[in-house]
Amino acid sequence: MSTQNIDYHVKLKNRFPVADRTMAFELEKPPGFTFKPGQWVDITLPGLASDAPGGNVRGFSFASAPEDDLLMVATRMRDSAFKRAFGELPLESEVRITMTGGSFTLHNNADRTAIFLAGGIGVTPMRSILRHAAQKKLPHRIIFFFSNSTPESAPFLEELTALQKENPNYTLVPTITRVDSGGASWTGETGRINKAMLEKYTKDAKSPIYYVVGPPAMVSGTQKMLEDAGCDSDDIRTEGFGGY
Ligand SMILES: Cc1cc2nc3c(=O)[nH]c(=O)nc-3n(C[C@H](O)[C@H](O)[C@H](O)COP(=O)(O)OP(=O)(O)OC[C@H]3O[C@@H](n4cnc5c(N)ncnc54)[C@H](O)[C@@H]3O)c2cc1C
């Protein structure tokens, strides 16, 4: 499935911070509605004029798994008309979800390792896939390189760390790029994801497929790094968060 038109009015049930300036929004799940982990949905804020700057629709990857009771999206709270309105929307208000789809979904062949590379809010489709993989006990080996400037700006870091206990096939490799920000308690990697870091953690990877997601500049930079490191471009899948 590439894209699918839908039209549901769903209630905003919860909203809570998941990192510095980053909020998760939980929406009612319409009966029977489902999606594949890694896909996105268009959200329209009916209270926002369609001629607001950037319009009243934004696409968000699902951060929740299909098995979860509520739909979740998460976003960096910038000072845009859409995000101000979303951030202030009273709970139990309705938003519209109008389109869903995408092919940034986990491959079927569990003999091949999945290597995820995401920065910041690019974590959303990864969380969806990882929660699904843990709940369904998928056999895929998954190694997730998760880059953020500081630990505090890393959405869902605690949860994604804890998921390793539920899913022995999954390894999280968190890295922070503001090297001085982790303090003595930071035990993860430091610096940007590079060839040496990849090699250190992917020795057991079998014919890996790479999944890169985040703002378009991060995606193209990471894709180039992978290609320079000798990865086959046929095995690199990307999702650019247009609009950042
Ligand atoms: C497949 C996909 C998945 C995404 N998933 C997430 C997610 O999980 N979390 C998240 O925070 N963001 C996600 N985004 C980006 C999101 O749609 C917003 O564009 C982004 O959050 C910026 O919104 P804003 O209101 O701050 O931007 P604004 O400052 O209002 O917009 C910046 C400019 O970008 C334009 N623009 C807005 N949205 C898009 C778009 N989708 N494509 C191209 N131009 C656009 C506007 O017209 C405006 O000119 C995703 C985008 C795509 C395409």
Side-chain angles (χ1 to χ4, degrees), residues 39-42 53-55 57-63 73-83 101 121-125 213 239-244:
Q39 292 191 315
W40 50 263
V41 64
D42 271 352
V57 187
R58 293 287 184 281
F60 295 102
S61 297
F62 289 107
V73 298
T75 190
R76 292 287 196 221
M77 295 307 285
R78 306 197 310 183
D79 191 28
S80 73
F82 185 97
K83 292 193 178 163
I121 197 61
V123 68
T124 48
V213 58
E239 184 85 293
F241 283 4
Y244 275 111

Side-chain angles (χ1 to χ4, degrees), residues 14-40:
N14 295 305
R15 173 178 45 219
F16 49 89
V18 289
D20 278 355
R21 294 175 296 109
T22 309
M23 299 291 280
F25 297 78
E26 286 186 319
L27 307 171
E28 229 174 13
K29 185 159 78 171
F33 175 75
T34 193
F35 61 92
K36 284 191 181 171
Q39 292 191 315
W40 50 263

